[in-house]
């Protein structure tokens, strides 16, 4: 009774993008994306598609759309990790195992034809973007660039034979008057060793994002699921992030003028998007201007230190200065996300600062052979 339809027409893509709006209409925690930005993400101008094959599917039951999914072959991932792994992403479904099974089955069939031996996800579209299924922490809205789903998604995916591949953690920190004394002491040691810091230069933001790419690709290259960012992807990301970047919260650490670390804290613009309801019109823009000045939280999107400068206080220095920006902006909470479940040193550092585990996201996988 389930019909799987591939998205090939613009009207179908509109249906694909807008389906979650209806699905989550009564969910108080859902944050709808701007439709205009979603269309940009799925457009040919997204440089992710330069190294990936993607197909979109809708599930219909009695002629009504009841689910969606994307099949992804990320050649950059497979070349970097020497794998034949395919991915699924943008999974949304009513609470119906037949619908979920048909959606996952359509992706598995597509990936087998492309000679993949494993399916993994959700990835929207890779670990450089939203990824993971929320499995714990359903009682609040997601922060910027993090996923959200209702609890019933977990048994739906597991009923399709998908098993845990990796968990990702989000920690929350309630901002205090000052950071821990240990952070201040270790930051001072880094400064005495010649480590300096500066804010990003917004007049040359594209250039600064290439520094971010250099640090990110160096600092994260051994992380599970990592895929190097390309110049084109970095430029695309810069275009999307520039409107929400705050210089006080975006810092570069240097040694003798060379970048060795990068800290990126972003105001939780989901606080604004939730009130815009996916629309860009005069009324929603007025709401955006009003609520953008009332954002209560920030997300630590990235803390990256080049390998040869770790454990030298660079992290503490960036934390100390980032904390000043958080206090200056009047923000109440910081989310550290995401952190791999087996990245114990980073977890301990966040816990030492005062962070506590708040949400868990899961990447699933299953063999295709």
């Amino acid at each position: 009774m389930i019909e799987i339809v591939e998205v090939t027409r613009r009207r179908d893509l509109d249906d694909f993008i807008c389906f979650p709006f209806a699905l989550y209409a009564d969910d108080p925690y859902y944050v709808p994306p701007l439709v205009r930005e979603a269309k940009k993400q799925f457009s040919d101008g997204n440089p992710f598609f330069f190294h990936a094959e993607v197909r979109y599917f809708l599930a219909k039951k009695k002629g009504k759309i009841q689910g969606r999914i994307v099949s992804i072959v990320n050649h950059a991932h497979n070349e970097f990790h020497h794998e034949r792994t395919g991915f699924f992403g943008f999974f949304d479904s009513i609470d119906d195992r037949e619908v979920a099974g048909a959606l996952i089955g359509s992706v598995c069939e597509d990936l087998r034809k492309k000679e993949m031996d494993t399916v993994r996800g959700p990835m929207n579209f890779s670990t450089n973007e939203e990824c993971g299924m929320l499995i714990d922490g359903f009682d609040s809205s997601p922060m910027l660039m993090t996923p959200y789903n209702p609890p019933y998604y977990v048994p739906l995916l597991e009923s399709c034979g998908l098993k845990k591949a990796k968990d990702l953690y989000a920690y929350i920190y309630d901002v205090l008057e000052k950071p821990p004394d240990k952070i201040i002491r270790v930051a001072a040691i880094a400064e005495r060793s010649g480590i300096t810091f500066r804010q990003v230069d917004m007049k040359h933001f594209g250039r600064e994002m290439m520094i971010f790419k250099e640090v990110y690709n160096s600092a994260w290259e051994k992380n599970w699921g990592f895929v190097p960012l390309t110049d084109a992807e970095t430029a695309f990301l810069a275009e999307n992030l520039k409107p929400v970047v705050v210089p006080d919260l975006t810092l570069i650490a240097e040694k003798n003028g060379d970048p060795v670390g990068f800290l990126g804290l972003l105001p939780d613009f989901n606080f604004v998007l939730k009130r815009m309801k996916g629309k860009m019109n005069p009324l929603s823009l007025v709401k955006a201007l009003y609520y953008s000045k009332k954002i209560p939280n920030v997300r630590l999107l990235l803390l990256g230190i080049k390998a040869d400068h770790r454990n030298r206080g660079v992290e503490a220095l960036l934390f100390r200065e980032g904390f000043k920006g958080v206090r200056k902006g009047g923000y109440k909470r910081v989310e550290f996300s995401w952190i791999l479940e087996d990245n114990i040193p980073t977890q301990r550092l966040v816990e030492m600062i005062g962070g506590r585990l708040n949400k868990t996201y899961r990447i699933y996988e299953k063999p295709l052979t």
Side-chain angles (χ1 to χ4, degrees), residues 40-100:
K40 181 179 176 182
Q41 185 181 20
F42 293 119
S43 74
D44 292 339
N46 185 341
F48 175 79
F49 301 139
F50 299 171
H51 56 76
E53 300 175 51
V54 179
R55 295 176 72 188
Y56 311 92
F57 299 100
L58 291 168
K60 294 186 177 182
K61 192 172 186 178
K62 297 181 180 180
K64 184 179 179 180
I65 297 172
Q66 303 285 19
R68 69 173 192 171
I69 202 166
V70 172
S71 173
I72 306 161
V73 176
N74 184 348
H75 296 295
H77 171 96
N78 287 333
E79 290 171 9
F80 188 82
H81 292 280
H82 309 290
E83 294 179 355
R84 287 187 294 139
T85 298
F87 299 89
F88 72 93
F90 298 95
F91 171 84
D92 283 295
S93 173
I94 63 170
D95 190 2
D96 186 316
R97 294 192 177 191
E98 289 185 351
V99 172

Side-chain angles (χ1 to χ4, degrees), residues 79-348:
E79 290 171 9
F80 188 82
H81 292 280
H82 309 290
E83 294 179 355
R84 287 187 294 139
T85 298
F87 299 89
F88 72 93
F90 298 95
F91 171 84
D92 283 295
S93 173
I94 63 170
D95 190 2
D96 186 316
R97 294 192 177 191
E98 289 185 351
V99 172
L103 288 166
I104 294 296
S106 66
V107 169
C108 291
E109 180 182 1
D110 180 55
L111 295 178
R112 286 191 189 99
K113 290 178 180 178
K114 293 171 180 172
E115 300 183 336
M116 300 295 106
D117 59 24
T118 303
V119 60
R120 186 179 297 156
M123 300 281 181
N124 300 346
F125 286 102
S126 73
T127 54
N128 294 329
E129 302 167 81
E130 286 187 12
C131 59
M133 182 73 66
L134 183 66
I135 66 165
D136 180 61
F138 298 99
D139 57 351
S140 62
S141 293
M143 290 211 188
L144 183 69
M145 296 176 65
T146 62
Y148 173 77
N149 54 267
Y152 72 79
Y153 276 28
V154 177
L156 280 187
L157 288 188
E158 292 177 353
S159 73
C160 298
L162 290 156
K163 307 292 185 182
K164 171 187 168 181
K166 189 74 69 173
D167 280 352
L168 317 174
Y169 293 155
Y171 283 77
I172 202 74
Y173 164 70
D174 296 312
V175 178
L176 303 177
E177 290 296 322
K178 65 175 186 176
D181 291 339
K182 185 175 180 180
I183 292 293
I184 296 173
R185 290 197 305 271
V186 176
I189 293 171
E191 286 183 304
R192 290 196 293 270
S193 70
I195 302 295
T196 59
F197 66 89
R198 64 178 179 84
Q199 297 178 359
V200 294
D201 182 352
M202 297 301 292
K203 293 182 179 179
H204 300 94
F205 190 66
R207 181 194 67 194
E208 300 286 66
M209 283 297 289
M210 290 302 162
I211 293 175
F212 154 78
K213 187 202 81 167
E214 175 191 341
V215 174
Y216 177 77
N217 285 350
S218 172
W220 283 53
E221 65 175 345
K222 297 188 184 301
N223 276 16
W224 181 89
F226 167 79
V227 182
L229 280 170
T230 66
D231 286 353
E233 287 175 311
T234 305
F236 188 75
L237 183 64
E239 182 181 346
N240 292 331
L241 290 182
K242 188 175 182 180
V244 297
V245 165
V246 176
D248 285 338
L249 303 175
T250 315
L251 307 173
I252 299 170
E254 297 177 330
K255 179 69 178 286
N256 300 324
D258 294 325
V260 298
F262 196 102
L263 178 139
L265 286 153
L266 291 177
D268 178 28
F269 205 73
N270 274 5
F271 182 78
V272 179
L273 292 177
K274 193 172 184 179
R275 290 151 177 84
M276 296 179 72
K277 302 185 184 302
K279 301 173 183 176
M280 285 285 284
N281 56 39
L283 178 59
S284 67
L285 289 174
V286 169
K287 289 182 178 179
L289 288 172
Y290 177 78
Y291 285 105
S292 63
K293 299 174 183 178
K294 297 180 177 294
I295 295 173
N297 305 320
V298 294
R299 179 188 174 204
L300 180 58
L301 180 66
L302 177 82
L303 174 65
I305 312 296
K306 289 183 177 180
D308 56 351
H309 283 82
R310 290 176 191 156
N311 303 315
R312 298 185 181 184
V314 181
E315 300 94 333
L317 179 60
L318 289 172
F319 270 133
R320 187 193 72 187
E321 297 306 311
F323 183 91
K324 291 178 182 178
V326 170
R327 290 282 299 165
K328 179 180 177 182
Y331 300 105
K332 305 301 183 185
R333 300 198 307 169
V334 179
E335 182 178 275
F336 298 80
S337 62
W338 42 265
I339 301 170
L340 287 167
E341 64 175 328
D342 46 11
N343 187 349
I344 305 303
T346 299
Q347 292 175 37
R348 295 296 174 264

